[in-house]
Amino acid sequence: MQSNDNIDIIKSEQQHQKDITKFHKGLASETENIELDDKVISKGVGRLFKDDKYGVYYSAVENNKPVGCVMNIHDYHHQLDKPTYWIQNVYVDPKARGKGVFKSLFDHTIQEAKKANANAVKLYVDKGNEQAKKV
């Protein structure tokens, strides 16, 4: 995988909703062979911008253009009194693959988890997503 120093990871904002909706549609199509409704996806994505208790989106940006995203959620591990971070809904635009975008998103999540003193970071992978299982 080629590294790319031109990739910035930023906390997604409302202005990224259209791109994240498009990424979710691509993710569902590629990994589960299903077509999702844009309005439903957009509404769900928008909910996270209104209330981050459901999760936080981060966008990978190259040359001021979003080229990927990740949704991070966390739950509380009561026995360790620490959060567990989950990496979900990762998508990289096909044109940006092989440039280190996933690695940048993953590394950012690890850093966020360390700041929060998380006990673990887990990657959610759909059982049919063979490509993601290789990661």
Side-chain angles (χ1 to χ4, degrees):
M1 180 182 309
Q2 179 182 340
S3 161
N4 187 338
D5 292 333
N6 295 325
I7 298 169
D8 294 313
I9 306 301
I10 61 170
K11 185 175 180 183
S12 302
E13 298 177 354
Q14 192 79 39
Q15 68 194 36
H16 302 112
Q17 187 168 350
K18 185 175 178 181
D19 292 304
I20 293 171
T21 298
K22 180 181 85 171
F23 293 155
H24 275 294
K25 191 165 183 122
L27 179 66
S29 176
E30 286 180 34
T31 63
E32 301 174 59
N33 202 29
I34 58 173
E35 292 298 319
L36 298 177
D37 181 276
D38 288 1
K39 289 180 184 175
V40 175
I41 301 169
S42 184
K43 184 177 178 182
V45 169
R47 185 174 309 278
L48 273 73
F49 296 125
K50 293 177 184 153
D51 189 348
D52 64 6
K53 76 178 179 187
Y54 297 109
V56 177
Y57 282 108
Y58 291 94
S59 292
V61 178
E62 182 178 42
N63 299 322
N64 296 318
K65 182 181 186 303
V67 294
C69 70
V70 63
M71 183 178 82
N72 294 338
I73 64 171
H74 61 271
D75 57 21
Y76 177 69
H77 193 295
H78 67 279
Q79 295 163 326
L80 298 176
D81 192 27
K82 294 180 179 187
T84 297
Y85 271 58
W86 286 88
I87 299 172
Q88 293 189 203
N89 299 324
V90 181
Y91 188 79
V92 177
D93 187 293
K95 295 175 189 169
R97 293 179 186 169
K99 295 182 177 181
V101 176
F102 172 79
K103 182 175 181 349
S104 295
L105 290 164
F106 183 85
D107 289 349
H108 180 80
T109 300
I110 297 297
Q111 292 306 314
E112 291 293 311
K114 284 180 180 178
K115 285 185 212 173
N117 196 29
N119 74 300
V121 176
K122 298 181 179 186
L123 173 63
Y124 172 83
V125 177
D126 185 86
K127 64 183 177 184
N129 187 347
E130 297 303 322
Q131 181 71 17
K133 288 179 187 178
K134 295 175 186 175
V135 173

